């Protein structure tokens, strides 16, 4: 039963705050809480599953940006005394979308060879080389029969002496006294007869080889014998071997006599005086005739399979070999000397107490610990005490509640479909899996398609799941922004859920992104408020906001709330007078000059303050009352913490009742994301932003910010219903800023034209066939042509074929609009290193 978004909800009301996620089964003693961390099962106010402080209630003790935990990957020190025994309880099961998922040890040992961008690497098998068009069975059989009959006719003419000069090549290399006079003279001596016997055998071998090649008997054998497998293959080879032996010993095939002649010429005729030698020669001839058929019939493999002739390697040898080469033996820990920890994790894998997220998390923790040698010992001790539950994500989760796509957590790939068997796709990529990973998402992705084309369910949700799994492994942070009820995953799959405008939301949203710099806050806020207004300069708007935010923060210690900011932008005398008085009382002359400058510029031509006030008024609504609060009593979620912790954050926007406010907030979050990620100093954590609907959210400044994301280990996924949702002046810059683009089925030819121009052209080989009527000059030929036209109804023509190289678009606008089937998309991929794949037609979900 589908319970997405409802598990953990108290009561039946859909807008109630979901309770804390069910903790994983204990794999060791309960961990002691960090200083400032609440007891298990009792989240603090403002945390996921907690409650907001009631009006008048003193706020909870301030905490760190997320949870107040000193380290997300350091386990608490062990209690004194020997470590207690751990119960053998499995972790939460890995829910795969398809049945028959391999065991964890087999999953670890599965090869993942490096491949071209976007290829699903897990268990990848290269596609067989492209073959030319196969000849039909009828043509193949007719050709073989005709070749065989021709060879028999030629051999009959040879044996009966109807071919002239047939002995001339032999006479050139043998003494003349062996032969009768004339070109057709036969052998005169016994030596000549023996030479003719060997000569005929050689010619017969050449004739048989040529007949087999021209008649394509090998292809006929492969199609109708080999394709049926064993035991039919062995039986057919045995029948053919018996028939050949019969023809050989009946001397229909020249094999026995030429061999006897050659043996006598080498060893002398006296060798045949011994019957034993003769029997050995006959046995060798029979074995030599039988050997090719044994190879063709694969008799040895059949006997080995029937009798179990394959001897398994000794257990000790196999175990020793797997210890060195197998991935489930944790060779990196053994190489560093932590054999006990490696043995513990190996036992966890084999007994099923770990899942794929645990493996990726521990590998990442080990990699991080190797950079700081003082962290190796605590990590090894944590592994010995808690096994696969060591170095847990601060949320305590070891997996997502539910997966809807196939994931390979080791490589970070998520499979979104498979390449269609279509001529547009290169042959090597057809029917292969297509997957996304951080090396691709780091160049950002733009997906365009009408509603119902599958953007959210088949692209956005798999990407969110993949980034969520990497966050649990300590390798990524993800921010998902979409409308309330968007199918991006249940609440239990996120650490922080911000429901804008919902009084039950555990978190507010910080309009200033958690920064304390007024100029930085003003620049980002201006981009979110009026970045889509082409007639306004966002730099002037940022200056106006800075002239108000700086003085207000200096006077009050925090930025203004939405109603206060609106009053300041409107130039309300009471608000400006109160702010001026506070600055004068504190003696902040520099900020007084800023405020006086704003007062002088207010109401002037081109003043952006009225436009800013109008946009702020969209957030100053009763539905958002108290939601964007500032000050010591506020509990906002600061976007800046994404760059510090492996967070999974979801922001639900009220698109239905407040569409314009939702677009403003989307634009603001995109601007904050690009600004915050660009300012990071530690870029080891991949940070991803997923906008389920980026309509009117893209501005000129955010396009420049998207270009910088790939250099700071970050990326954005944007979806649009049409490219026209972006200002026309930004169409080309946006398509050039993102490295990955996806055109879903149902787009218009106008959108298809933009994608076709962005994807460029390629050289292709074209064949043009022109038919020309044949006019005969001779009466007999004209009569034949007339008879053929009477029978077929068509005139006699000849084909003129022209082959040339031309440059054509990879996908034309019409093909993108009308040739992409439902449930498909054309996707072009680029990695952060610059590798790229051509636009591929992908069957989503395949």
């Amino acid at each position: 039963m589908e319970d997405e978004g409802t598990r953990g909800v108290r009561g039946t009301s859909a807008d109630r705050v979901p309770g804390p996620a069910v903790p994983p089964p204990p794999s060791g003693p309960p961990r002691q809480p960090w200083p400032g961390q609440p007891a298990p099962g009792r989240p603090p106010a403002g945390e996921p599953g907690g409650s907001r402080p009631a009006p008048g209630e003193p706020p909870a003790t301030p905490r760190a940006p997320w949870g107040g935990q000193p380290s997300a990957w350091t386990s608490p020190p062990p209690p004194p005394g020997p470590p207690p025994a751990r119960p053998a309880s499995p972790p939460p099961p890995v829910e795969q979308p398809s049945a028959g998922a391999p065991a964890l040890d087999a999953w670890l040992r599965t090869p993942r060879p490096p491949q071209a961008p976007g290829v699903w690497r897990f268990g990848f098998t290269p596609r067989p080389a492209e073959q030319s068009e196969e000849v039909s069975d009828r043509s193949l059989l007719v050709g073989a029969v005709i070749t065989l009959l021709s060879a028999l006719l030629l051999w009959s003419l040879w044996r009966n002496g109807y071919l002239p000069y047939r002995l001339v090549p032999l006479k050139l290399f043998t003494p003349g006294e062996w032969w009768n006079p004339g070109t057709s003279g036969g052998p005169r001596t016994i030596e000549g007869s023996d030479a003719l016997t060997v000569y005929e055998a050689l010619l017969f071998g050449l004739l048989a080889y040529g007949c087999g090649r021209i008649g394509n008997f090998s292809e006929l054998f492969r199609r109708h014998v080999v394709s049926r497998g064993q035991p039919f293959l062995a039986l057919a080879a045995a029948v053919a071997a018996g028939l050949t032996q019969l023809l050989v010993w009946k001397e229909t095939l020249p094999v026995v006599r030429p061999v006897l002649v050659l043996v006598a010429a080498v060893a002398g005729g006296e060798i045949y005086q011994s019957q034993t030698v003769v029997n050995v020669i006959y046995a060798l001839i029979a074995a030599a005739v039988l050997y090719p058929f044994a190879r063709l019939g694969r008799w040895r493999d059949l006997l080995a399979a029937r009798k179990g002739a394959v001897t398994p390697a000794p257990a000790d040898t196999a175990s020793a070999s797997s210890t060195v080469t197998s991935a489930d033996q944790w060779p990196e820990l053994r190489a560093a000397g932590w054999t006990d920890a490696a043995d513990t994790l190996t036992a966890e894998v084999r007994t099923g107490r770990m899942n794929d997220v645990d493996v990726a998390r521990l590998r990442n923790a080990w990699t991080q610990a190797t950079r700081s040698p003082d962290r190796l010992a605590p990590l090894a001790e944590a592994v010995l005490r808690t096994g696969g539950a060591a170095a847990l994500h601060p949320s305590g989760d070891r997996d997502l509640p539910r997966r809807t796509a196939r994931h390979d957590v080791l490589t970070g790939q998520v499979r979104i479909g498979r390449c269609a068997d279509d001529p547009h796709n290169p042959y090597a990529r057809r029917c292969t899996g297509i997957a996304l990973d951080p090396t691709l998402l780091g160049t950002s992705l733009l997906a365009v398609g009408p509603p119902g084309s599958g953007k959210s369910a088949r692209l956005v949700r798999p990407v969110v799941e993949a980034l969520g799994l990497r966050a649990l492994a300590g390798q990524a942070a993800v921010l998902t922004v979409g409308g309330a009820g968007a199918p991006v995953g249940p609440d239990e799959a996120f650490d922080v859920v911000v429901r804008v405008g919902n009084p039950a939301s555990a978190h507010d949203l910080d309009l200033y992104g958690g920064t304390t710099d007024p100029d930085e806050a003003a620049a980002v806020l201006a981009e979110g408020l009026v970045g889509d207004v082409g007639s306004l300069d966002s730099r002037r708007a940022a200056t106006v906001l800075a002239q108000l935010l700086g003085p207000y923060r200096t006077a009050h210690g925090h930025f203004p709330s939405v109603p206060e900011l609106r009053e300041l932008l409107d130039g309300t005398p009471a608000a400006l007078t109160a702010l001026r008085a506070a600055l004068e009382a504190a003696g902040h002359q520099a900020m007084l000059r800023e405020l006086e400058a704003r007062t002088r510029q207010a109401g002037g031509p081109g003043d952006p303050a009225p436009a800013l006030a109008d946009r702020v008024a969209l957030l100053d609504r009763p539905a958002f009352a108290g939601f964007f609060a500032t000050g010591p009593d506020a509990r906002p979620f600061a976007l800046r913490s994404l760059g510090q912790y492996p967070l999974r954050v979801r922001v639900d926007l009220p698109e239905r009742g407040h569409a314009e406010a939702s677009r403003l907030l989307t634009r603001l979050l995109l601007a904050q994301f690009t600004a915050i990620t660009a300012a990071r100093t530690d870029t080891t954590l991949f940070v991803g932003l997923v906008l389920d609907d980026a309509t009117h959210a893209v501005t000129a400044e955010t396009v420049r910010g998207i270009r910088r994301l790939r250099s700071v280990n970050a990326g954005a996924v944007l979806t649009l219903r049409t490219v026209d949702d972006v200002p026309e002046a930004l169409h080309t810059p946006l398509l050039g800023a993102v490295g990955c683009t996806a055109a879903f089925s149902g787009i218009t030819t106008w959108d298809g034209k933009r994608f076709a121009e962005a994807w460029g052209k390629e050289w292709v080989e074209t064949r043009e066939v022109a038919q020309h009527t044949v006019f005969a000059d001779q009466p007999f030929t004209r009569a034949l042509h007339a008879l053929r036209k009477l029978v077929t109804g068509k005139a006699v023509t000849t084909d003129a074929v022209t082959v040339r190289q031309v440059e054509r678009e990879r996908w034309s606008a019409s093909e993108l609009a009308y040739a992409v089937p439902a449930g498909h998309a054309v996707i072009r991929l680029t990695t952060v290193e610059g590798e790229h794949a051509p636009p591929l037609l992908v069957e989503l979900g395949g």
Side-chain angles (χ1 to χ4, degrees):
M1 179 177 178
E2 178 66 23
D3 56 357
E4 180 177 319
T6 61
R7 289 199 293 182
V9 178
R10 295 191 294 265
T12 58
S13 176
D15 57 357
R16 296 293 298 274
V17 181
V22 178
S27 56
R31 296 189 303 168
Q32 298 296 327
W34 285 298
Q37 183 180 3
R42 298 185 61 185
E47 293 302 312
S51 59
R52 297 167 55 127
E57 180 183 349
T61 304
R63 302 178 63 191
W66 184 49
Q69 298 165 0
S71 174
W73 311 115
T74 304
S75 297
R86 291 181 293 106
S89 56
V94 180
E95 297 187 21
Q96 296 290 350
S98 59
L104 186 60
D105 52 352
W107 177 81
L108 279 170
R109 292 193 297 267
T110 302
R112 297 166 175 85
Q115 293 297 323
V119 175
W120 175 251
R121 294 168 51 190
F122 180 78
F124 175 78
T125 302
R127 194 179 185 193
E130 186 175 8
Q131 299 179 355
S132 57
E133 296 183 1
E134 293 186 348
V135 183
S136 63
D137 291 344
R138 179 179 178 182
S139 300
L140 195 64
L141 184 61
V142 170
V145 171
I146 292 176
T147 303
L148 181 61
L149 294 177
S150 300
L152 293 176
L153 175 62
L154 184 61
W155 182 247
S156 177
L157 293 176
W158 167 270
R159 294 294 300 267
N160 291 290
Y162 289 106
L163 296 180
Y165 310 107
R166 64 189 185 95
L167 299 180
V168 171
L170 180 61
K171 293 180 178 181
L172 292 176
F173 295 95
T174 54
E177 60 269 15
W178 289 4
W179 311 99
N180 292 320
T183 56
S184 301
R188 178 188 297 179
T189 62
I190 296 178
E191 290 82 359
S193 298
D194 293 341
L196 180 60
T197 299
V198 177
Y199 179 59
E200 287 182 346
L202 293 177
L203 290 180
F204 179 81
L206 293 176
L207 180 62
Y209 177 77
C211 175
R213 293 298 300 272
I214 296 175
N216 208 358
F217 283 90
S218 60
E219 179 66 17
L220 193 64
F221 180 76
R222 183 188 64 82
R223 287 193 193 181
H224 299 283
V225 180
V226 177
S227 60
R228 297 191 179 187
Q230 298 287 14
F232 182 83
L233 175 60
L235 181 61
V239 172
L243 179 61
T244 304
Q245 291 279 9
L246 179 64
L247 296 177
V248 166
W249 297 110
K250 289 291 185 180
E251 295 192 2
T252 304
L253 301 179
V255 176
V256 178
R257 290 192 61 191
V259 172
L260 296 177
V261 169
L262 288 175
V263 171
V266 174
E270 297 81 4
I271 194 174
Y272 294 121
Q273 294 179 0
S274 173
Q275 186 63 35
T276 303
V277 173
V278 174
N279 293 337
V280 170
I281 294 175
Y282 286 165
L284 292 176
I285 293 174
V289 173
L290 194 63
Y291 178 74
F293 296 97
R295 291 290 302 273
L296 289 175
R298 301 172 186 173
W299 294 350
R300 183 177 180 180
D301 297 341
L302 180 62
L303 292 176
R306 290 293 177 89
K307 297 182 179 181
V310 179
T311 303
D316 297 341
T317 305
S319 176
S321 175
S322 63
T323 301
V324 178
T325 60
S326 180
D328 62 334
Q329 300 290 326
W330 300 86
E332 60 273 12
L333 272 69
R334 299 182 186 276
W338 299 97
T339 307
D340 294 341
D343 292 339
T344 300
L345 294 179
T346 301
E348 295 273 308
V349 170
R350 292 182 176 177
T351 55
R353 290 197 295 261
M354 291 180 63
N355 59 18
D356 54 351
V357 180
D358 293 332
V359 174
R361 186 187 68 251
L362 289 172
R363 284 192 172 186
N364 177 69
W366 181 262
T367 302
Q368 298 294 332
T370 53
R371 300 174 184 175
S372 302
D374 57 325
R375 299 170 59 184
L376 287 175
L379 178 60
E381 293 176 3
V383 169
L384 292 175
R385 288 187 296 106
T386 60
L392 272 180
H393 186 265
S395 66
D397 295 339
R398 298 172 66 178
D399 199 0
L400 297 179
R402 184 173 181 270
R403 303 187 191 182
T404 60
R406 293 184 60 189
H407 298 269
D408 185 20
V409 188
L410 283 186
T411 59
Q413 287 190 315
V414 52
R415 179 165 177 152
I416 61 173
R418 68 179 183 92
C419 294
D421 190 3
D422 187 86
H424 284 93
N425 294 338
Y427 175 81
R429 298 297 299 268
R430 298 175 191 172
C431 300
T432 60
I434 192 79
L436 298 177
D437 58 69
T439 61
L440 298 172
L441 298 177
T443 63
S444 298
L445 186 147
L446 175 66
V448 179
S453 58
K455 302 188 301 297
S456 298
R458 299 182 179 180
L459 179 65
V460 171
R461 176 153 186 179
V463 170
V464 173
E465 286 182 0
L467 293 178
L469 290 172
R470 289 185 69 82
L472 292 178
Q475 299 172 332
V478 57
L479 170 63
T480 305
V481 181
V488 294
D491 295 346
E492 294 85 353
F494 297 92
D495 303 310
V496 176
V497 178
V498 181
R499 297 181 177 88
V500 178
N502 190 337
S505 177
H507 289 273
D508 294 340
L509 188 63
D510 190 353
L511 295 180
Y512 306 99
T515 183
T516 57
D517 184 1
D519 293 329
E520 181 182 351
V524 175
L525 187 58
E527 195 65 30
L529 292 176
V530 295
D532 61 328
V533 181
S535 58
L536 285 179
D537 186 359
S538 60
R539 291 174 296 181
R540 291 194 61 188
T543 301
V544 170
L545 287 172
Q547 291 173 342
L548 296 174
L549 296 181
Y552 191 94
R553 178 171 179 77
T554 302
H556 300 281
H558 58 82
F559 290 119
S561 62
V562 169
E564 294 168 336
L565 180 60
R566 181 182 180 184
E567 292 179 353
L568 293 174
L569 290 172
D570 283 334
T572 304
L576 293 176
T577 301
L579 180 58
R580 185 180 296 107
L583 293 174
E584 290 176 350
H588 297 292
Q589 297 300 324
M591 291 303 170
L592 277 173
R593 288 195 298 270
E594 284 284 297
L595 186 60
E596 293 300 332
R598 171 83 288 269
T599 304
R600 290 193 304 269
Q601 296 170 3
D607 183 18
L612 291 170
D614 291 342
R615 288 299 178 89
V616 172
L618 295 174
L619 304 178
D620 189 17
R621 304 294 301 163
F624 305 133
F627 196 84
F628 305 107
T630 58
D633 296 340
R635 302 290 295 177
F637 169 73
L639 204 64
R640 190 170 299 273
S641 57
L642 280 175
Q644 304 171 5
Y645 301 96
L647 281 171
R648 300 168 295 166
V649 183
R650 192 186 77 201
V651 179
D652 293 343
L653 302 176
E655 289 185 343
R656 295 181 179 178
H658 305 273
E660 196 62 31
S662 297
R663 294 173 182 175
L664 187 153
L665 292 174
T666 303
R667 192 163 53 248
L668 176 61
L669 289 172
L670 178 58
Q672 287 183 357
F673 179 83
T674 55
I676 290 171
T677 53
R680 287 194 305 163
T681 56
D682 183 8
T683 60
T684 57
L685 197 70
F686 180 83
V687 184
L689 169 67
V690 181
L691 293 184
D692 189 42
D693 185 6
T695 302
H696 301 294
V698 179
T699 64
E701 184 61 32
T702 53
V703 168
R704 287 189 287 269
I706 290 174
R707 288 197 186 100
R708 297 191 296 264
L709 292 180
R710 69 175 65 187
S711 63
V712 293
N713 196 23
V717 177
L718 313 177
T719 66
L720 296 171
R721 294 182 177 89
T722 173
V723 181
D724 290 331
D725 289 338
V726 176
E728 185 175 0
L730 298 178
H731 290 174
T732 301
L734 178 60
L735 289 173
V738 297
C740 304
T741 49
F744 284 70
S745 61
I747 64 173
T748 63
T749 53
W750 292 272
D751 289 339
K753 179 181 179 181
R754 297 181 179 95
F755 280 107
E757 292 175 351
W759 293 340
K761 301 179 179 180
E762 63 178 345
W763 289 96
V764 297
E765 184 180 275
T766 62
R767 294 170 57 91
E768 297 180 358
V769 181
Q771 293 183 339
H772 303 281
T773 304
V774 178
F775 298 97
D777 297 331
Q778 302 299 325
F780 181 73
T781 307
R782 286 200 298 269
L784 289 178
H785 288 185
L787 178 61
R788 178 177 175 178
K789 184 176 181 180
L790 180 63
V791 173
T792 62
K794 297 180 181 180
V796 179
T797 59
T798 59
D799 294 340
V801 181
T802 303
V803 181
R804 59 179 179 176
Q805 296 282 337
V806 297
E807 193 177 21
R808 287 185 177 177
E809 293 175 330
R810 300 177 184 271
W811 281 84
S812 67
S814 298
E815 288 175 328
L816 289 173
Y818 302 110
V820 179
H824 291 65
V826 181
I827 302 178
R828 181 185 70 100
L829 301 173
T830 305
T831 66
V832 291
E833 290 83 9
E835 297 183 67
H836 60 84
L840 303 171
L841 179 61
V842 177
E843 179 186 355
L844 300 171

